Amino acid sequence: MRISVPTPMGFGTAPLGNMYRNIPTEEALDTVEAAWQQGIRYFDAAPMYGAGLAEIRLGQALAQHPRDAYALSTKVGRLILDEVEDTTQRDLGEKGGLFKYGLPNKIVYDYTADGTLRAIEASLKRLQTDRLDIVWIHDPARDFHGEAWREVFDVAMNGAAKALTRLREEGVIKAWGLGVNRVEPCEMALEQSDPDGFLIAGRYTLLDHADALRTLMPASAARGLGIVVGGPYNSGILAGGAHYEYQQATPDILARVEALRQVCSEYEVDIRAAALQFSLAHPAVAAVIPGASQPSRIAENLALAAAVIPAGFWQELRKRGLIAQDAPLPQGG
């Protein structure tokens, strides 16, 4: 697998950028340390998360640990400027207001080769490290760029992708791919370039996986690529929250989640355990990176991933059409 990380359970740092709420620095640092103490050795960040705040906090927390002991990924496609802006008015496509509690630094898009190198240099400083293992091209997709997304994607393929390919060939990074919330740009990247894998958020989950299963997952497995699953709880809706796709869940989504919960209740299965184990079951998946902003969540996630789930539960989900018939099931399912 070309995307290789030390642990199948990783740590997604979007919450450290004050996603949804203003998280005290000490709580953020304690959460990263809790992940470390529980054995997690893969951490993923992005400049967008709080306009650099998540990278700063992650770098501060990991500075006390040996760099060779963990894998680190971050993203390119956005630059953080010294200039400030109104955090409530940022253009985050369909994700408006997501990081309104983050730093006020202005965020601009730049998918060129030069912008990619500048983004990496800035991330290294914020992360207090000398190297990155994996670099994802962040969000060259419709949900952030609307009808112009294909033009943005072309810039990313001719700029960021080529720059990252050179860095990989030179041994500066180990791997690169796209970090997106949509399947289509990943499928296009497979045709136009040579990525090592993808970070797809919310698209290979218990609730939403049909599109990814159709082409992306089997193609990735066949080519030996690795998929990192972000947002296995679909922004919280599968973990007792009210958000789906970073916004308030619609009645249709709530009804689908309730149908899943009904089967979970019948089989006495925690829906969070089902969500994590479903995402991990596909052979193309290298890691799952649920986010966390409280130390206690780390141990909970690891326990949920290891919880025993009866085979009949998965078969019942298939019987009721709640998961795809060809979706790989966890061991024993």
Side-chain angles (χ1 to χ4, degrees):
M1 189 177 290
R2 288 165 61 180
I3 294 290
S4 179
V5 295
T7 53
M9 184 72 74
F11 184 94
T13 64
L16 301 188
N18 283 353
M19 185 170 69
Y20 300 135
R21 68 185 181 95
N22 195 355
I23 299 168
T25 296
E26 183 177 358
E27 183 178 337
L29 298 180
D30 287 347
T31 302
V32 178
E33 182 60 20
W36 185 275
Q37 294 301 327
Q38 292 289 331
I40 290 175
R41 295 295 184 268
Y42 171 45
F43 301 86
D44 176 73
M48 185 186 81
Y49 302 160
L53 180 59
E55 288 186 322
I56 291 170
R57 286 172 162 176
L58 181 62
Q60 184 177 345
L62 291 179
Q64 60 186 311
H65 299 295
R67 180 62 185 86
D68 290 342
Y70 62 91
L72 179 63
S73 62
T74 193
K75 305 178 184 74
V76 297
R78 292 181 176 90
L79 296 173
I80 310 302
L81 308 183
D82 292 333
E83 179 184 349
V84 299
E85 63 182 353
D86 182 349
T87 60
T88 65
Q89 300 302 312
R90 282 179 174 144
D91 179 13
L92 295 181
E94 298 174 3
K95 316 308 193 282
L98 189 60
F99 291 104
K100 65 181 180 180
Y101 300 107
L103 298 178
N105 298 71
K106 187 173 183 178
I107 304 173
V108 296
Y109 291 107
D110 191 332
Y111 291 96
T112 65
D114 178 66
T116 296
L117 298 179
R118 290 169 58 197
I120 289 174
E121 182 179 6
S123 287
L124 289 173
K125 291 179 180 177
R126 289 189 291 266
L127 289 164
Q128 299 185 43
T129 187
D130 62 349
R131 66 189 185 278
L132 301 169
D133 297 290
I134 307 167
V135 178
W136 309 109
I137 304 174
H138 206 187
D139 296 323
R142 183 183 298 275
D143 53 332
F144 280 91
H145 301 287
E147 294 301 318
W149 82 268
R150 290 179 181 271
E151 289 81 3
V152 172
F153 178 86
D154 288 341
V155 173
M157 288 298 97
N158 287 300
K162 291 182 177 179
L164 294 174
T165 297
R166 287 195 300 271
L167 293 179
R168 182 184 62 194
E169 291 172 348
E170 294 167 0
V172 177
I173 63 174
K174 295 178 181 178
W176 72 270
L178 304 189
V180 291
N181 300 279
R182 294 291 183 269
V183 172
E184 188 176 2
C186 299
E187 295 174 339
M188 291 170 60
L190 285 176
E191 298 174 355
Q192 300 181 27
S193 59
D194 184 31
D196 299 287
F198 304 100
L199 192 169
I200 50 173
R203 297 287 79 77
Y204 193 73
T205 70
L206 187 65
L207 182 62
D208 186 344
H209 54 271
D211 287 346
L213 263 179
R214 193 169 297 116
T215 302
L216 179 61
M217 302 302 284
S220 296
R223 291 172 58 165
L225 309 187
I227 301 292
V228 174
V229 176
Y233 297 138
N234 280 115
S235 305
I237 194 67
L238 291 177
H243 291 92
Y244 173 77
E245 289 291 271
Y246 310 103
Q247 305 297 326
Q248 290 292 316
T250 64
D252 176 62
I253 293 297
L254 291 173
R256 288 169 57 194
V257 172
E258 181 55 34
L260 288 167
R261 287 189 178 280
Q262 178 62 39
V263 182
C264 288
S265 177
E266 293 172 16
Y267 283 83
E268 298 183 346
V269 170
D270 190 313
I271 192 171
R272 299 172 299 170
L276 289 176
Q277 293 186 33
F278 176 84
S279 294
L280 283 165
H282 198 288
V285 172
V288 172
I289 52 169
S293 60
Q294 297 176 346
S296 62
R297 294 283 187 260
I298 305 299
E300 285 182 13
N301 284 333
L302 290 169
L304 291 164
V308 176
I309 296 178
F313 168 78
W314 301 109
Q315 299 302 329
E316 187 65 22
L317 290 182
R318 274 187 173 170
K319 180 181 176 181
R320 300 190 192 185
L322 295 174
I323 58 175
Q325 294 298 313
D326 56 343
L329 300 179
Q331 187 174 9

mmCIF file of all heavy atoms in Angstrom, residues 49-76:
data_model
loop_
_atom_site.group_PDB
_atom_site.id
_atom_site.type_symbol
_atom_site.label_atom_id
_atom_site.label_comp_id
_atom_site.label_asym_id
_atom_site.label_seq_id
_atom_site.Cartn_x
_atom_site.Cartn_y
_atom_site.Cartn_z
ATOM 1 N N TYR A 49 -7.515 24.576 8.981
ATOM 2 C CA TYR A 49 -8.102 24.321 10.291
ATOM 3 C C TYR A 49 -7.741 25.454 11.257
ATOM 4 O O TYR A 49 -6.719 25.432 11.927
ATOM 5 C CB TYR A 49 -7.629 22.984 10.845
ATOM 6 C CG TYR A 49 -7.939 21.787 9.972
ATOM 7 C CD1 TYR A 49 -7.225 20.604 10.120
ATOM 8 C CD2 TYR A 49 -8.941 21.827 9.008
ATOM 9 C CE1 TYR A 49 -7.504 19.489 9.327
ATOM 10 C CE2 TYR A 49 -9.220 20.727 8.208
ATOM 11 C CZ TYR A 49 -8.498 19.567 8.372
ATOM 12 O OH TYR A 49 -8.767 18.467 7.581
ATOM 13 N N GLY A 50 -8.633 26.426 11.313
ATOM 14 C CA GLY A 50 -8.418 27.562 12.201
ATOM 15 C C GLY A 50 -7.360 28.520 11.714
ATOM 16 O O GLY A 50 -6.752 29.225 12.516
ATOM 17 N N ALA A 51 -7.124 28.572 10.376
ATOM 18 C CA ALA A 51 -6.113 29.468 9.782
ATOM 19 C C ALA A 51 -4.735 29.229 10.395
ATOM 20 O O ALA A 51 -4.029 30.157 10.776
ATOM 21 C CB ALA A 51 -6.529 30.927 9.929
ATOM 22 N N GLY A 52 -4.373 27.961 10.504
ATOM 23 C CA GLY A 52 -3.058 27.597 11.027
ATOM 24 C C GLY A 52 -3.057 27.194 12.485
ATOM 25 O O GLY A 52 -2.061 26.661 12.980
ATOM 26 N N LEU A 53 -4.164 27.420 13.186
ATOM 27 C CA LEU A 53 -4.208 27.155 14.629
ATOM 28 C C LEU A 53 -4.003 25.667 14.940
ATOM 29 O O LEU A 53 -3.263 25.314 15.872
ATOM 30 C CB LEU A 53 -5.538 27.630 15.207
ATOM 31 C CG LEU A 53 -5.733 27.419 16.718
ATOM 32 C CD1 LEU A 53 -4.652 28.153 17.514
ATOM 33 C CD2 LEU A 53 -7.122 27.895 17.143
ATOM 34 N N ALA A 54 -4.634 24.777 14.169
ATOM 35 C CA ALA A 54 -4.484 23.341 14.436
ATOM 36 C C ALA A 54 -3.041 22.897 14.246
ATOM 37 O O ALA A 54 -2.510 22.113 15.034
ATOM 38 C CB ALA A 54 -5.410 22.534 13.527
ATOM 39 N N GLU A 55 -2.382 23.396 13.201
ATOM 40 C CA GLU A 55 -0.981 23.038 12.977
ATOM 41 C C GLU A 55 -0.098 23.554 14.111
ATOM 42 O O GLU A 55 0.808 22.845 14.565
ATOM 43 C CB GLU A 55 -0.499 23.605 11.643
ATOM 44 C CG GLU A 55 -1.080 22.891 10.428
ATOM 45 C CD GLU A 55 -0.473 23.376 9.123
ATOM 46 O OE1 GLU A 55 -0.220 24.601 9.012
ATOM 47 O OE2 GLU A 55 -0.235 22.546 8.229
ATOM 48 N N ILE A 56 -0.348 24.761 14.550
ATOM 49 C CA ILE A 56 0.438 25.328 15.653
ATOM 50 C C ILE A 56 0.297 24.477 16.907
ATOM 51 O O ILE A 56 1.286 24.136 17.573
ATOM 52 C CB ILE A 56 0.004 26.780 15.923
ATOM 53 C CG1 ILE A 56 0.421 27.686 14.752
ATOM 54 C CG2 ILE A 56 0.600 27.293 17.241
ATOM 55 C CD1 ILE A 56 -0.173 29.079 14.817
ATOM 56 N N ARG A 57 -0.928 24.120 17.233
ATOM 57 C CA ARG A 57 -1.168 23.322 18.436
ATOM 58 C C ARG A 57 -0.599 21.917 18.297
ATOM 59 O O ARG A 57 0.005 21.389 19.236
ATOM 60 C CB ARG A 57 -2.674 23.270 18.717
ATOM 61 C CG ARG A 57 -3.224 24.582 19.275
ATOM 62 C CD ARG A 57 -4.735 24.575 19.356
ATOM 63 N NE ARG A 57 -5.221 25.627 20.249
ATOM 64 C CZ ARG A 57 -6.506 25.903 20.454
ATOM 65 N NH1 ARG A 57 -7.444 25.204 19.815
ATOM 66 N NH2 ARG A 57 -6.852 26.858 21.286
ATOM 67 N N LEU A 58 -0.769 21.312 17.138
ATOM 68 C CA LEU A 58 -0.233 19.973 16.927
ATOM 69 C C LEU A 58 1.284 19.991 17.009
ATOM 70 O O LEU A 58 1.890 19.107 17.641
ATOM 71 C CB LEU A 58 -0.677 19.433 15.567
ATOM 72 C CG LEU A 58 -0.208 18.013 15.224
ATOM 73 C CD1 LEU A 58 -0.763 17.001 16.211
ATOM 74 C CD2 LEU A 58 -0.609 17.647 13.795
ATOM 75 N N GLY A 59 1.903 20.985 16.394
ATOM 76 C CA GLY A 59 3.351 21.093 16.452
ATOM 77 C C GLY A 59 3.870 21.260 17.867
ATOM 78 O O GLY A 59 4.874 20.643 18.255
ATOM 79 N N GLN A 60 3.163 22.066 18.641
ATOM 80 C CA GLN A 60 3.565 22.274 20.037
ATOM 81 C C GLN A 60 3.451 20.980 20.832
ATOM 82 O O GLN A 60 4.331 20.643 21.634
ATOM 83 C CB GLN A 60 2.687 23.355 20.664
ATOM 84 C CG GLN A 60 3.084 23.731 22.086
ATOM 85 C CD GLN A 60 2.222 24.858 22.646
ATOM 86 O OE1 GLN A 60 1.505 25.554 21.904
ATOM 87 N NE2 GLN A 60 2.269 25.050 23.957
ATOM 88 N N ALA A 61 2.381 20.224 20.592
ATOM 89 C CA ALA A 61 2.155 18.989 21.352
ATOM 90 C C ALA A 61 3.139 17.892 20.964
ATOM 91 O O ALA A 61 3.581 17.114 21.818
ATOM 92 C CB ALA A 61 0.722 18.510 21.140
ATOM 93 N N LEU A 62 3.485 17.811 19.672
ATOM 94 C CA LEU A 62 4.361 16.734 19.212
ATOM 95 C C LEU A 62 5.838 17.054 19.354
ATOM 96 O O LEU A 62 6.682 16.165 19.174
ATOM 97 C CB LEU A 62 4.058 16.403 17.738
ATOM 98 C CG LEU A 62 2.711 15.744 17.446
ATOM 99 C CD1 LEU A 62 2.555 15.515 15.956
ATOM 100 C CD2 LEU A 62 2.557 14.427 18.214
ATOM 101 N N ALA A 63 6.161 18.289 19.678
ATOM 102 C CA ALA A 63 7.571 18.697 19.757
ATOM 103 C C ALA A 63 8.352 17.894 20.795
ATOM 104 O O ALA A 63 9.569 17.738 20.685
ATOM 105 C CB ALA A 63 7.663 20.186 20.072
ATOM 106 N N GLN A 64 7.657 17.373 21.796
ATOM 107 C CA GLN A 64 8.331 16.626 22.864
ATOM 108 C C GLN A 64 8.538 15.156 22.521
ATOM 109 O O GLN A 64 9.123 14.406 23.308
ATOM 110 C CB GLN A 64 7.509 16.722 24.146
ATOM 111 C CG GLN A 64 6.093 16.156 24.017
ATOM 112 C CD GLN A 64 5.266 16.393 25.251
ATOM 113 O OE1 GLN A 64 5.702 16.113 26.363
ATOM 114 N NE2 GLN A 64 4.056 16.926 25.071
ATOM 115 N N HIS A 65 8.066 14.741 21.343
ATOM 116 C CA HIS A 65 8.175 13.341 20.949
ATOM 117 C C HIS A 65 9.117 13.192 19.762
ATOM 118 O O HIS A 65 9.210 14.086 18.925
ATOM 119 C CB HIS A 65 6.796 12.777 20.610
ATOM 120 C CG HIS A 65 5.834 12.820 21.752
ATOM 121 N ND1 HIS A 65 6.022 12.088 22.906
ATOM 122 C CD2 HIS A 65 4.682 13.525 21.929
ATOM 123 C CE1 HIS A 65 5.019 12.318 23.747
ATOM 124 N NE2 HIS A 65 4.200 13.191 23.185
ATOM 125 N N PRO A 66 9.813 12.053 19.647
ATOM 126 C CA PRO A 66 10.765 11.856 18.546
ATOM 127 C C PRO A 66 10.064 11.829 17.191
ATOM 128 O O PRO A 66 9.061 11.124 17.016
ATOM 129 C CB PRO A 66 11.422 10.508 18.878
ATOM 130 C CG PRO A 66 10.468 9.817 19.804
ATOM 131 C CD PRO A 66 9.785 10.901 20.577
ATOM 132 N N ARG A 67 10.593 12.592 16.245
ATOM 133 C CA ARG A 67 9.952 12.720 14.934
ATOM 134 C C ARG A 67 9.873 11.393 14.191
ATOM 135 O O ARG A 67 8.913 11.149 13.439
ATOM 136 C CB ARG A 67 10.720 13.751 14.084
ATOM 137 C CG ARG A 67 10.133 13.964 12.677
ATOM 138 C CD ARG A 67 8.715 14.516 12.753
ATOM 139 N NE ARG A 67 8.111 14.606 11.434
ATOM 140 C CZ ARG A 67 7.466 13.608 10.821
ATOM 141 N NH1 ARG A 67 7.352 12.428 11.420
ATOM 142 N NH2 ARG A 67 6.946 13.786 9.636
ATOM 143 N N ASP A 68 10.832 10.522 14.370
ATOM 144 C CA ASP A 68 10.810 9.242 13.660
ATOM 145 C C ASP A 68 9.740 8.291 14.178
ATOM 146 O O ASP A 68 9.481 7.255 13.553
ATOM 147 C CB ASP A 68 12.172 8.551 13.774
ATOM 148 C CG ASP A 68 13.236 9.264 12.972
ATOM 149 O OD1 ASP A 68 12.877 10.053 12.074
ATOM 150 O OD2 ASP A 68 14.431 9.041 13.241
ATOM 151 N N ALA A 69 9.100 8.640 15.285
ATOM 152 C CA ALA A 69 8.148 7.726 15.915
ATOM 153 C C ALA A 69 6.721 7.878 15.393
ATOM 154 O O ALA A 69 5.850 7.093 15.766
ATOM 155 C CB ALA A 69 8.157 7.927 17.432
ATOM 156 N N TYR A 70 6.461 8.863 14.531
ATOM 157 C CA TYR A 70 5.092 9.065 14.059
ATOM 158 C C TYR A 70 5.073 9.536 12.606
ATOM 159 O O TYR A 70 6.087 10.003 12.070
ATOM 160 C CB TYR A 70 4.350 10.081 14.932
ATOM 161 C CG TYR A 70 4.944 11.473 14.931
ATOM 162 C CD1 TYR A 70 4.521 12.444 14.017
ATOM 163 C CD2 TYR A 70 5.916 11.841 15.854
ATOM 164 C CE1 TYR A 70 5.059 13.723 14.020
ATOM 165 C CE2 TYR A 70 6.464 13.116 15.868
ATOM 166 C CZ TYR A 70 6.024 14.048 14.948
ATOM 167 O OH TYR A 70 6.564 15.319 14.952
ATOM 168 N N ALA A 71 3.926 9.380 11.958
ATOM 169 C CA ALA A 71 3.706 9.863 10.595
ATOM 170 C C ALA A 71 2.862 11.124 10.659
ATOM 171 O O ALA A 71 1.938 11.236 11.477
ATOM 172 C CB ALA A 71 3.018 8.799 9.752
ATOM 173 N N LEU A 72 3.171 12.057 9.766
ATOM 174 C CA LEU A 72 2.527 13.363 9.786
ATOM 175 C C LEU A 72 2.104 13.740 8.373
ATOM 176 O O LEU A 72 2.880 13.622 7.427
ATOM 177 C CB LEU A 72 3.506 14.406 10.339
ATOM 178 C CG LEU A 72 3.039 15.852 10.428
ATOM 179 C CD1 LEU A 72 1.863 15.983 11.396
ATOM 180 C CD2 LEU A 72 4.196 16.743 10.884
ATOM 181 N N SER A 73 0.872 14.180 8.245
ATOM 182 C CA SER A 73 0.402 14.687 6.958
ATOM 183 C C SER A 73 -0.251 16.041 7.152
ATOM 184 O O SER A 73 -0.817 16.332 8.212
ATOM 185 C CB SER A 73 -0.591 13.721 6.305
ATOM 186 O OG SER A 73 -1.751 13.537 7.089
ATOM 187 N N THR A 74 -0.144 16.869 6.119
ATOM 188 C CA THR A 74 -0.891 18.119 6.099
ATOM 189 C C THR A 74 -1.279 18.396 4.654
ATOM 190 O O THR A 74 -1.126 17.528 3.786
ATOM 191 C CB THR A 74 -0.120 19.276 6.742
ATOM 192 O OG1 THR A 74 -1.025 20.378 6.966
ATOM 193 C CG2 THR A 74 1.029 19.756 5.881
ATOM 194 N N LYS A 75 -1.773 19.593 4.380
ATOM 195 C CA LYS A 75 -2.391 19.840 3.080
ATOM 196 C C LYS A 75 -1.893 21.134 2.442
ATOM 197 O O LYS A 75 -1.416 22.030 3.142
ATOM 198 C CB LYS A 75 -3.913 19.866 3.250
ATOM 199 C CG LYS A 75 -4.423 18.586 3.914
ATOM 200 C CD LYS A 75 -5.910 18.602 4.145
ATOM 201 C CE LYS A 75 -6.349 17.345 4.894
ATOM 202 N NZ LYS A 75 -5.971 17.397 6.318
ATOM 203 N N VAL A 76 -2.005 21.173 1.121
ATOM 204 C CA VAL A 76 -1.643 22.362 0.360
ATOM 205 C C VAL A 76 -2.853 22.786 -0.470
ATOM 206 O O VAL A 76 -3.804 22.033 -0.645
ATOM 207 C CB VAL A 76 -0.431 22.106 -0.558
ATOM 208 C CG1 VAL A 76 0.797 21.767 0.266
ATOM 209 C CG2 VAL A 76 -0.724 20.979 -1.561
#
